[in-house]
Amino acid sequence: MLDIPLLLRVHVDTEIAAQNDMGVCDAIQRYAPAGKPAVMSAPHLPKVAGIDPTVPAPAHTATPHAGIPVAASAPGALIQDRLAGWVSDLTTLHELTERLARTGTLDDALHELLRAGAALVGARRGMAVLEPADGLGPARTIGLGLARAEIGHIETVPRGATSYGRLMDSAAGIPDPVAVPDLLGDEGLDPRHREVAARLGYAASYAVPLATGTAGKLGAAVWLYDEPAEPAERRRYLVGLYGQYASEHLARLLELERGRATLATIAEELLPSRLPRVPGVQLAARHRRGPHGGGDWYDALPLPEGALGLAVGSVSGSGPSALAAMGRLRASLRAYAVMEGEDPVAVLSDLELLLRLTEPARSATALFAYCEPAARKIVLAGAGHAPPLVIGTRRTEYVETSLSAPLGMLACWEAPSVELAPEPGETVLLYTDGLLRRTGEPMDRAFARLHTAAVTVPGADRDDPGAIADHVLRTMLPDGPDRTGSGEDVMLLAARFA
C-alpha cells in the first residue's frame, strides 16, 4: 500500500485554503497559465444573464492505480473557473448598462430597466414606479408583461402592503431590496394583496429601490415570479449593481425632462394666448415644439381700421437663449406693426436694424403680412423665410416672393413687398422651416410634398382653417414626433378669407 507523505498533504491543504484567502490579482498572477486559459476559451453551456451554469469536472485521461486516492482538482483550475464566471457576469452587466445608456426618455429607460432586471433575477413580469420624493414629478408607472388593467389591480392594494411601496415610503435614505419568496404562504400578507396575486397568477416578488445619494428616492422596481422563488445571492448582487447605475441614469433623464418641460412652458407663454377675432377672416394656429426649445414663433394682432397683422419667424439657435431672443423679436415686431404695419418692408427694415444693433451675433427669419379682410387684400414681405401657400378650390400655389437674406445678414434692404388678393373661401397658410426640415428630405422635395398635402385637403375641411392645418401636419409628419432628430420647431398659421 502506497502512502502519501504528510508534507504533500499539508502542501495541498495550504494551496486550497489560499484560493479562498488570496486576492483576485494574486490568484491570477500565481496560477494563470502563460497562454489563454483553456476554461475561458472552451465552449460553455447556455448562460442566463451572464451567469454560467456549473462547469462539469473534467474527465480523467487515465485510470488511477488501485489503492491510490484520487488527487484533488488543481487550485488554479478552481480559481480560473471562478474568474471566468466573474468575467462573464461583468460582460453581461456591461452590455446591459450600455443598452440602458442609449435610452433618451424616461419611459424608454424604465422599459429597458424592467427587461434587463427580469433577465438578471430570472423573472417574467415586473413593474417600475417612478415617483420622485421631492414631489416635482413627473410620475410614471410602467409594466413588463402586465396590461394596464393588471397594473390597475396591483395599484388597488394598499401601498404599504406592497414591496415597492415599502421601499418608496421607507424612512431610510436608500433602503435594502425587499424579497417576498412566497406571497401566498406569507401569513402576514394583506388579504387584498393575496387576492390580487392569486388573480394575476404571481406567487413571489423581488423589489429594488431606485435612488441616488444626490437626487434621493426616485421610485422602485419590482419583479414578479409565477411560482414561489427568490433570486440567489449572485443574482441579487448583479441586479443591485445594475439598479445603482439605472438610478443614476434615471436621475439624469429626470433632470433633462424637467428642463424641457420648463422650456415648453416658457415657449407657450411667449406665443399668443388666443387669436384675435376680425370680421372677414378665420384664423387657426398649430405648433409642435422640438425637444431643445427652438426659437420659432407666430403672431396675429388686430391693427387700426379693421386691419390684421400676421407674422411667422424663426430665431437661430435653441434653448433658453433662443427663446428669450424670440420673445424680444416678437415684441419688437408687434410694436413696429402697430406704427407702420401697412408697409411690411418698413416693419422688417426696423426689425433688421434692431437685431443688428442689439444682437449682432444672431440671425433670424421673418415674414409679415398686412391684411385688409374687408377688401381681401394682403401686402407681405419676407426676410429669408419660406413663401406662404394659398389653398383654394381652384388653385393651390405658393406666393411668389422676392428672395432675401435673413435678418441680421442684410447689407441693405432689397426685397420689395408683394400684394396678394385671395378669393373668397381661400386660405393663406404661413409656416416655419421646421415643417420642411422635419421631413428629412431635400428642400425641393419637401416643398413639393407640402404642395401635395395642400392639394389633398378634403373638400369637407376646406371651410375650416384648423382642419386644413391639421391635415397638412398629418400628411407632412405622419409619425408625429421628430423623426430626423433635428429638434426643429413647427409653426403653422392659417387665415381663411370669407
Side-chain angles (χ1 to χ4, degrees), residues 126-396:
M127 186 174 71
V129 180
L130 182 70
E131 190 176 306
D134 57 14
L136 300 179
R140 298 278 198 282
T141 300
I142 303 294
L144 172 68
L146 295 172
R148 181 65 251 183
E150 293 174 321
I151 294 177
H153 282 307
I154 296 176
E155 290 176 336
T156 62
V157 179
R159 181 169 165 137
T162 63
S163 54
Y164 69 87
R166 283 149 54 188
L167 289 176
M168 297 170 65
D169 297 338
S170 172
I174 301 181
D176 295 329
V178 175
V180 185
D182 188 359
L183 282 167
L184 302 181
D186 187 351
E187 296 181 355
L189 190 68
D190 186 276
R192 178 59 182 165
H193 195 179
R194 182 180 290 103
E195 177 186 347
V196 170
R199 177 181 300 178
L200 300 184
Y202 64 88
S205 67
Y206 185 73
V208 297
L210 301 176
T212 68
T214 303
K217 295 179 184 177
L218 303 177
V222 57
W223 290 276
L224 308 175
Y225 296 89
D226 296 339
E227 302 291 340
E230 185 176 1
E233 181 179 356
R234 189 176 181 184
R235 291 176 178 265
R236 291 191 186 196
Y237 180 70
L238 288 177
V239 78
L241 291 178
Y242 183 79
Q244 293 174 15
Y245 179 83
S247 298
E248 296 288 347
H249 184 63
L250 288 171
R252 291 190 292 269
L253 291 179
L254 182 65
E255 183 178 357
L256 181 61
E257 183 155 326
R258 286 176 175 177
R260 289 174 178 172
T262 301
L263 286 178
T265 301
I266 295 174
E268 290 294 329
E269 293 298 325
L270 291 175
L271 294 177
S273 57
R274 62 182 181 87
L275 297 174
R277 292 185 177 181
V278 178
V281 63
Q282 293 176 271
L283 299 176
R286 299 290 187 270
H287 59 276
R288 289 182 182 174
R289 281 289 175 192
H292 308 302
D296 287 16
W297 53 277
Y298 70 90
D299 203 355
L301 66 156
L303 297 174
E305 300 179 1
L308 176 68
L310 303 176
V312 291
S314 177
V315 175
S316 61
S318 62
S321 62
L323 287 177
M326 178 265 283
R328 292 190 294 268
L329 198 67
R330 173 175 171 265
S332 300
L333 187 142
R334 291 175 70 92
Y336 297 144
V338 171
M339 293 186 294
E340 47 192 5
E342 66 280 356
D343 186 357
V345 171
V347 172
L348 295 183
S349 297
D350 292 342
L351 205 60
E352 154 75 17
L353 180 60
L354 177 69
L355 192 66
R356 182 183 295 273
L357 294 177
T358 59
E359 302 184 60
R362 192 180 296 277
S363 64
T365 66
L367 186 145
F368 178 72
Y370 178 81
C371 307
E372 298 179 21
R376 291 199 302 278
K377 176 183 176 182
I378 301 176
V379 181
L380 60 88
H385 206 81
L389 183 61
V390 179
I391 304 172
T393 55
R394 292 188 296 178
R395 63 170 177 170
T396 298

Side-chain angles (χ1 to χ4, degrees), residues 27-52:
I28 295 174
Q29 180 178 1
R30 184 167 182 177
Y31 293 108
K36 183 177 180 182
V39 68
M40 299 181 69
S41 58
H44 285 244
L45 296 176
K47 60 183 181 180
V48 178
I51 303 174
D52 286 335

